[in-house]
Protein backbone atom coordinates (compact mmCIF):
# COMPACT_ATOMS: atom_id res chain seq x y z
CA UNK A 1 0.00 0.00 0.00
CA UNK A 2 2.84 2.41 0.76
CA UNK A 3 4.39 1.78 -2.65
CA UNK A 4 1.09 2.63 -4.32
CA UNK A 5 0.69 5.81 -2.29
CA UNK A 6 4.24 6.87 -3.16
CA UNK A 7 3.85 5.91 -6.81
CA UNK A 8 6.86 3.61 -6.57
CA UNK A 9 7.45 -0.07 -7.22
CA UNK A 10 9.95 -0.20 -4.35
CA UNK A 11 10.81 1.81 -1.26
CA UNK A 12 14.49 2.64 -0.98
CA UNK A 13 14.81 2.40 2.79
CA UNK A 14 12.51 1.95 5.77
CA UNK A 15 13.65 2.93 9.26
CA UNK A 16 12.23 1.54 12.49
CA UNK A 17 12.16 4.44 14.96
CA UNK A 18 12.66 3.44 18.57
CA UNK A 19 10.82 4.97 21.50
CA UNK A 20 14.00 4.45 23.53
CA UNK A 21 13.45 0.78 24.35
CA UNK A 22 15.76 -0.39 21.56
CA UNK A 23 16.48 -3.90 22.78
CA UNK A 24 12.84 -4.74 23.48
CA UNK A 25 11.84 -3.63 19.97
CA UNK A 26 14.59 -5.71 18.39
CA UNK A 27 14.20 -8.74 20.69
CA UNK A 28 10.47 -8.98 20.01
CA UNK A 29 11.53 -9.66 16.45
CA UNK A 30 8.27 -9.15 14.58
CA UNK A 31 9.29 -5.86 13.01
CA UNK A 32 12.68 -7.19 11.97
CA UNK A 33 11.18 -10.34 10.45
CA UNK A 34 8.58 -8.33 8.54
CA UNK A 35 11.16 -5.88 7.17
CA UNK A 36 13.54 -8.65 6.17
CA UNK A 37 10.70 -10.36 4.29
CA UNK A 38 9.92 -7.12 2.44
CA UNK A 39 13.62 -6.68 1.62
CA UNK A 40 13.88 -10.29 0.44
CA UNK A 41 10.85 -9.78 -1.85
CA UNK A 42 12.36 -6.58 -3.25
CA UNK A 43 9.59 -4.33 -1.94
CA UNK A 44 12.13 -2.53 0.28
CA UNK A 45 15.75 -2.14 -0.82
CA UNK A 46 17.23 -1.53 2.63
CA UNK A 47 16.11 -1.60 6.25
CA UNK A 48 17.31 0.74 8.97
CA UNK A 49 17.07 1.18 12.71
CA UNK A 50 16.85 4.57 14.40
CA UNK A 51 17.67 3.88 18.01
CA UNK A 52 18.82 5.65 21.10
CA UNK A 53 21.39 3.29 22.64
CA UNK A 54 24.74 1.86 21.63
CA UNK A 55 23.46 -1.59 22.65
CA UNK A 56 20.40 -1.18 20.44
CA UNK A 57 22.45 -0.11 17.45
CA UNK A 58 24.83 -3.03 17.93
CA UNK A 59 21.91 -5.43 18.12
CA UNK A 60 20.45 -3.95 14.91
CA UNK A 61 23.77 -4.58 13.18
CA UNK A 62 23.70 -8.19 14.43
CA UNK A 63 20.11 -8.54 13.19
CA UNK A 64 21.13 -7.60 9.64
CA UNK A 65 19.93 -4.01 9.36
CA UNK A 66 21.51 -2.16 6.44
CA UNK A 67 21.63 1.28 8.04
CA UNK A 68 21.40 3.03 11.38
CA UNK A 69 20.11 6.47 12.28
CA UNK A 70 22.16 7.78 15.19
CA UNK A 71 22.19 11.02 17.20
CA UNK A 72 25.73 12.35 17.06
CA UNK A 73 27.14 15.84 17.54
CA UNK A 74 29.98 17.62 19.34
CA UNK A 75 27.96 17.79 22.58
CA UNK A 76 27.12 14.06 22.63
CA UNK A 77 29.66 11.57 21.34
CA UNK A 78 28.28 8.61 23.28
CA UNK A 79 27.31 6.77 20.08
CA UNK A 80 30.89 6.72 18.76
CA UNK A 81 31.26 2.96 19.52
CA UNK A 82 28.16 2.24 17.43
CA UNK A 83 29.56 4.34 14.56
CA UNK A 84 32.84 2.45 14.68
CA UNK A 85 31.11 -0.93 14.73
CA UNK A 86 28.87 0.09 11.84
CA UNK A 87 31.95 1.08 9.85
CA UNK A 88 33.69 -2.19 10.66
CA UNK A 89 30.64 -4.25 9.66
CA UNK A 90 29.62 -2.43 6.49
CA UNK A 91 26.48 -0.76 7.83
CA UNK A 92 25.65 2.76 6.67
CA UNK A 93 24.80 5.56 9.10
CA UNK A 94 22.51 8.57 8.88
CA UNK A 95 23.14 11.12 11.63
CA UNK A 96 20.07 12.68 13.24
CA UNK A 97 19.99 15.70 15.54
CA UNK A 98 23.41 16.82 14.34
CA UNK A 99 22.64 20.38 15.41
CA UNK A 100 21.92 19.25 19.01
CA UNK A 101 18.49 20.88 18.91
CA UNK A 102 19.98 24.18 17.80
CA UNK A 103 22.85 24.28 20.29
CA UNK A 104 25.58 23.65 17.68
CA UNK A 105 25.81 25.82 14.54
CA UNK A 106 25.44 23.94 11.25
CA UNK A 107 28.86 25.09 10.09
CA UNK A 108 30.38 23.13 12.99
CA UNK A 109 27.87 20.29 13.38
CA UNK A 110 27.62 19.02 9.82
CA UNK A 111 31.35 18.66 9.09
CA UNK A 112 31.76 17.01 12.51
CA UNK A 113 29.03 14.47 11.76
CA UNK A 114 30.20 13.75 8.21
CA UNK A 115 33.73 13.07 9.45
CA UNK A 116 32.56 10.23 11.70
CA UNK A 117 33.01 6.59 10.61
CA UNK A 118 30.30 5.11 8.36
CA UNK A 119 28.29 8.34 8.07
CA UNK A 120 26.71 8.67 4.65
CA UNK A 121 24.19 11.40 5.38
CA UNK A 122 23.11 13.98 7.93
CA UNK A 123 19.45 14.83 8.46
CA UNK A 124 18.91 18.51 9.23
CA UNK A 125 15.66 19.69 10.70
CA UNK A 126 14.41 22.54 12.77
CA UNK A 127 11.65 23.06 15.27
CA UNK A 128 11.44 26.72 14.26
CA UNK A 129 10.84 27.84 10.70
CA UNK A 130 12.77 31.08 11.25
CA UNK A 131 15.98 29.04 11.71
CA UNK A 132 15.88 27.69 8.15
CA UNK A 133 17.42 30.74 6.48
CA UNK A 134 20.22 31.05 9.05
CA UNK A 135 20.94 27.33 8.95
CA UNK A 136 20.97 27.22 5.13
CA UNK A 137 23.23 30.27 4.97
CA UNK A 138 25.70 28.73 7.41
CA UNK A 139 25.68 25.41 5.55
CA UNK A 140 26.20 27.11 2.21
CA UNK A 141 29.17 29.01 3.61
CA UNK A 142 30.61 25.89 5.26
CA UNK A 143 30.45 23.90 2.03
CA UNK A 144 31.54 26.71 -0.28
CA UNK A 145 28.32 26.95 -2.26
CA UNK A 146 27.57 23.26 -2.72
CA UNK A 147 24.27 23.57 -0.83
CA UNK A 148 23.37 26.40 -3.18
CA UNK A 149 24.01 24.04 -6.10
CA UNK A 150 21.65 21.49 -4.56
CA UNK A 151 18.95 24.10 -3.94
CA UNK A 152 19.31 25.36 -7.52
CA UNK A 153 18.98 21.83 -8.86
CA UNK A 154 15.91 21.06 -6.75
CA UNK A 155 14.06 24.38 -6.85
CA UNK A 156 15.14 26.22 -9.98
CA UNK A 157 15.86 23.41 -12.44
CA UNK A 158 13.32 20.91 -11.13
CA UNK A 159 13.96 17.32 -10.12
CA UNK A 160 12.65 14.56 -12.36
CA UNK A 161 11.61 11.07 -11.31
CA UNK A 162 14.51 9.72 -13.37
CA UNK A 163 16.95 11.94 -11.49
CA UNK A 164 15.32 10.85 -8.23
CA UNK A 165 15.80 7.17 -9.08
CA UNK A 166 19.43 7.81 -10.01
CA UNK A 167 20.01 9.71 -6.77
CA UNK A 168 18.28 7.00 -4.75
CA UNK A 169 20.46 4.32 -6.33
CA UNK A 170 23.57 6.42 -5.74
CA UNK A 171 22.58 6.87 -2.08
CA UNK A 172 22.19 3.11 -1.61
CA UNK A 173 25.54 2.51 -3.28
CA UNK A 174 27.15 5.02 -0.94
CA UNK A 175 25.48 3.46 2.11
CA UNK A 176 26.85 0.06 1.16
CA UNK A 177 30.30 1.35 0.23
CA UNK A 178 30.98 3.56 3.25
CA UNK A 179 29.52 1.11 5.71
Amino acid sequence: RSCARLGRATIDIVFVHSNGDDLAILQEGGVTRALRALRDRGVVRAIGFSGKTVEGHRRAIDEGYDALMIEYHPLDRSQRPALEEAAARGVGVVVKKALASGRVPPSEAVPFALAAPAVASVVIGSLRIDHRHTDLTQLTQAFEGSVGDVVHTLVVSGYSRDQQRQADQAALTILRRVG
Side-chain angles (χ1 to χ4, degrees), residues 48-81:
F49 185 76
S50 176
K52 304 207 185 287
T53 66
V54 171
E55 297 79 15
H57 290 122
R58 286 180 167 158
R59 177 69 183 258
I61 292 169
D62 290 341
E63 293 290 328
Y65 281 80
D66 303 299
L68 302 174
M69 188 177 287
I70 294 176
E71 181 174 348
Y72 188 68
H73 49 76
L75 303 179
D76 182 359
R77 302 169 190 226
S78 63
Q79 292 290 329
R80 184 70 184 204

Side-chain angles (χ1 to χ4, degrees), residues 124-141:
I124 302 293
S126 180
L127 296 175
R128 296 184 44 189
I129 198 161
D130 56 314
H131 287 176
R132 288 183 311 162
H133 184 277
T134 302
D135 291 349
L136 186 57
T137 299
Q138 289 181 10
L139 284 169
T140 301
Q141 290 169 349

Side-chain angles (χ1 to χ4, degrees), residues 3 7 9 13 15 21-22 27 43 45 61 74 76 79 104 119 126 145 148 154 158 164 166 170:
C3 289
I13 188 165
F15 277 94
D21 200 358
D22 296 358
Q27 287 170 350
V43 176
R45 292 182 185 170
I61 292 169
D76 182 359
Q79 292 290 329
V104 179
V119 173
S126 180
L154 293 175
Q164 183 178 358
Q166 291 171 4

Side-chain angles (χ1 to χ4, degrees), residues 105-124:
S107 57
E108 178 185 346
V110 174
F112 174 85
L114 290 173
V119 173
S121 182
V122 176
V123 176
I124 302 293

Side-chain angles (χ1 to χ4, degrees), residues 23-33 59:
L23 293 177
I25 292 167
L26 293 165
Q27 287 170 350
E28 192 280 325
V31 172
T32 300
R33 280 192 302 277
R59 177 69 183 258

